[in-house]
């Protein structure tokens, strides 16, 4: 661990990446693969066979004995089933075999992955197919092959398939716009993503003593400690030695796997940290984020820590999110969200900006729904970053530009008349302007948009599907209009001006936490979907169905299946939390409080005989009993409420949200009161102080 590591040497050393392929494949095989990823042409079986053979030899050299098709089912995490390379040979020997067929296609027994009703039992099998645009890698003795997962009828059963479809769509429509600006070279545009990951680390032994953490990933109970994060002494603070060891190990493992882990620091809450990678194409970024989360969990265990990826492990301190930085980059590396230096570059930038603003305004609900989950409900709209209302922060400079276009007024420079798009140069828009608005859910940060509503445990796939598809739709509409224009400059000016005028309401640079903003947003007609239960009905609105089917991201059945899975997953999560709450109340919390109050009462009897005053004991015992009685009653009520869950899943979501979640809050209030009144030596599990300030 303390040995010096040579990062360039280890970086990607466990990945079957482009340079390994170039080195190990015949040139014509390598070129066929390149052609396949550049143009989407199919891989011939002989090519697949050659690649499989080279991959196998390389993987065995790296110590692999097995291979696995690694996929991302709609649970939002990844799945794998390992097959060894062995195949029987004469004389009781074995050969190490791996064919092109096994590389390209797999058939995991997948009947228990959620399908949202897409798979009838008679066709329960799912298939996996190699995604040749993502690199295979070796980890813990297995060759991991990134794959898509789909049903017998070809319906997407995973997160990767729609992501790949959306990546193609946004590329296609963006290239149309570039052509209008005279770019004849760009063949592909890459949706670029950098996902910052927040997480908590706790000592394993403390974690193990908390049933709620073990079963639900968050604390269902726990009185607030005397100290929270108010001193702000953790953010960017010195990192604990044990955590430093974990982080070094984590980085090394991620680098070996080709993950561009770049930044690490302490976050706002005690025990909270963040890892940020360098951005890459959206597909790789999504795979890398899944790997990061897995490696974090395993690596933590090695260091006697537990990594919590839940959105809200602790009440009263910050939750964890994921910042999804998103932009569009040409195949020659030009960032299309960089304000340019020439009038024409600026005009092009304004087209992309206008398309983004229009898209987010029109499809704010869709974007919001991609991050709806039971865990994320504790963050979005719950007095914590960011709010549930989708809006865009542009910063002062860019907002001034937008306003001058909309109002036809002078821009900041009083000498200058109306800003004419495509003729005038925009003022340079500095990166990191003003102090960046941390309360905004979607901020322009110089040359990219940072979407901050994602929950820490969620896959980034759905969000990027939404961003890509929305952008593809708007750019497509713009291209239709501009391609037919007689006077391009005039049409451009009219389009940008009209679009910004119509969709200006989504821009908001103020404090996103304030009540004034909630009222203002309502006046502007923006939606405020502050719970999963409120979100899910709008997920499958006709507008969203039209969008995703038009672009071939989902067919209607696939899209409805996702909705169904969202509903089911919400209900299951809340149900587990409710049952765990009851269990802890009856088996741990009440017994502890009762044992203490019994001892108090014994003491009172003894003191009474001696005529010694015992007001404190009496008062304490009285309060413990009163709160305990209420807690027990609410527990029974919860139990009976849980037996009345509506059969229809949509109704069930509303019921879980309205009845069960608030019932759990009531249990918590009393349980936390008991914790505060009970002698610590009776208390059955580590408290917030124990956990957060170990
Ligand atoms: P922060 O202050 O939020 O940490 P950074 O500039 O460090 O901002 O960037 C955060 C993330 O954004 C990193 O993952 C980084 O690689 C990514 N990023 C930077 N530029 C782009 C871009 N053009 N497109 C997408 N992601 C980007
Ligand atoms: Mg950030």
């Amino acid at each position: 661990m303390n040995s010096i590591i040579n990062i360039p040497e280890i970086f990607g050393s466990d990945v079957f990446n482009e340079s390994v392929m170039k080195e190990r494949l015949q040139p014509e095989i390598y070129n066929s693969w390149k052609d396949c990823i550049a143009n989407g042409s199919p891989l011939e079986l002989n090519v697949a066979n050659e690649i499989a053979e080279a991959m196998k030899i390389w993987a065995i050299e790296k110590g692999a004995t097995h291979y696995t098709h690694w996929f991302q089912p709609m649970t939002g995490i990844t799945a794998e089933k390992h097959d060894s390379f062995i195949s029987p040979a004469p004389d009781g020997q074995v050969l190490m075999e791996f064919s092109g067929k096994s590389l390209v296609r797999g058939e995991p027994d997948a009947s228990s992955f959620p399908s949202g009703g897409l798979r009838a039992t008679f066709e329960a099998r799912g298939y996996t197919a190699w995604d040749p645009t993502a690199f295979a890698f070796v980890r813990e003795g297995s060759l991991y092959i990134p794959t898509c997962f789909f049903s017998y009828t070809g319906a997407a059963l995973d997160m990767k398939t729609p992501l790949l479809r959306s990546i193609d769509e946004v590329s296609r429509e963006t290239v149309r716009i570039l052509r209008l600006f005279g770019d004849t070279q760009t063949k592909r545009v890459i949706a670029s993503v950098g996902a910052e990951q927040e997480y908590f680390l706790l000592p394993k032994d403390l974690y193990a003593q908390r049933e709620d953490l073990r079963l639900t990933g968050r604390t269902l109970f726990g009185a607030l400690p005397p100290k929270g994060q108010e001193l702000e002494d953790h953010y960017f603070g010195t990192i604990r030695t044990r955590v430093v060891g974990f982080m070094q190990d984590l980085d090394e493992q991620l680098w070996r796997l080709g993950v561009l882990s770049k930044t690490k620091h302490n976050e706002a809450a005690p025990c909270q940290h963040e890892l940020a990678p360098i951005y890459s194409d959206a597909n790789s970024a999504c795979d890398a984020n899944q790997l990061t989360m897995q490696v974090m969990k395993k690596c933590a265990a090695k260091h006697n820590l537990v990594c919590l990826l839940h959105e809200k492990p602790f009440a009263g301190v910050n939750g964890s999110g994921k910042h999804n930085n998103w932009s569009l980059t040409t195949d020659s590396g030009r960032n299309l969200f960089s304000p340019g230096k020439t009038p024409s570059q600026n005009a092009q930038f304004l087209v992309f900006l206008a398309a983004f603003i229009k898209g987010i305004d029109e499809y704010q609900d869709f974007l919001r729904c991609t991050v709806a989950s039971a865990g994320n409900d504790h963050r979005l709209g719950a007095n914590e970053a960011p709010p549930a209302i989708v809006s865009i922060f542009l910063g002062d400079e860019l907002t001034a530009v937008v306003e001058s276009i909309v109002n036809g007024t002078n821009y900041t420079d009083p000498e200058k008349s109306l800003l004419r798009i495509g003729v005038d140069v925009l003022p340079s828009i500095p990166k990191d302007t003003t102090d960046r608005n941390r309360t905004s859910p979607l901020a322009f940060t110089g040359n990219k948009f940072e979407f901050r509503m994602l929950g820490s445990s969620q896959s980034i796939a759905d969000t990027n599907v939404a961003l890509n598809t929305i952008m593809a739709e708007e750019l497509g509409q713009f291209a239709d209009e501009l391609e037919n224009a007689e006077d391009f400059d005039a049409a451009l000016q009219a389009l940008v001006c009209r679009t910004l005028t119509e969709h200006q309401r989504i821009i908001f640079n103020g404090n996103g936490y304030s009540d004034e903003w909630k009222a203002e947003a309502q006046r502007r007609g923006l939606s405020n979907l502050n719970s999963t239960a409120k979100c899910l009905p709008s997920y499958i609105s006709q507008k969203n169905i039209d969008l995703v089917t038009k672009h071939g991201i989902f067919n209607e059945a696939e899209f409805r299946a996702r909705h169904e899975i969202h509903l089911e997953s919400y209900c299951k999560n809340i149900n587990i939390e409710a049952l765990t709450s009851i269990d802890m109340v009856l088996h741990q919390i009440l017994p502890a409080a009762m044992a203490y109050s019994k001892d108090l009462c014994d003491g009172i009897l003894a003191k009474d005989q001696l005529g010694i005053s015992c007001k404190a004991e009496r008062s304490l015992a009285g309060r413990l009993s009163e709160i305990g009685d209420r807690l027990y009653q609410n527990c029974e009520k919860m139990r009976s409420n849980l037996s009345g869950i509506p059969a229809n899943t949509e109704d069930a979501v509303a019921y879980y949200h309205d009845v069960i979640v608030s019932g759990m809050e009531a249990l918590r209030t009393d349980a936390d009161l008991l914790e505060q009144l009970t002698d610590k030596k009776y208390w059955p599990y580590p408290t917030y102080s124990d956990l957060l300030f170990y």
Side-chain angles (χ1 to χ4, degrees), residues 194 196 198 265 267 274 276 322-325 436 438 445 448 450-452:
E196 303 163 54
E198 290 179 339
H265 61 79
E267 261 300 330
E274 180 185 296
K322 220 173 301 221
H323 289 177
N324 189 89
N325 295 271
R436 282 196 274 155
R438 288 275 152 201
T445 48
K448 63 186 192 290
E450 181 171 0
F451 179 62
R452 302 172 177 147

Side-chain angles (χ1 to χ4, degrees), residues 49-81:
N49 277 331
E50 296 274 339
I51 297 178
E53 185 61 20
M55 233 186 225
K56 179 194 75 184
I57 294 170
W58 170 85
I60 290 172
E61 285 169 18
K62 294 261 159 216
T65 53
H66 290 66
Y67 68 92
T68 178
H69 275 204
W70 187 58
F71 58 103
Q72 301 176 17
M74 293 186 277
T75 49
I77 53 174
T78 63
E80 49 198 74
K81 177 188 134 201

Side-chain angles (χ1 to χ4, degrees), residues 192-194 196 277-279 325-327 335 436 447-448 450:
S192 305
V193 172
E196 303 163 54
I278 298 172
Y279 70 99
N325 295 271
W326 180 91
S327 69
N335 180 350
R436 282 196 274 155
N447 60 3
K448 63 186 192 290
E450 181 171 0

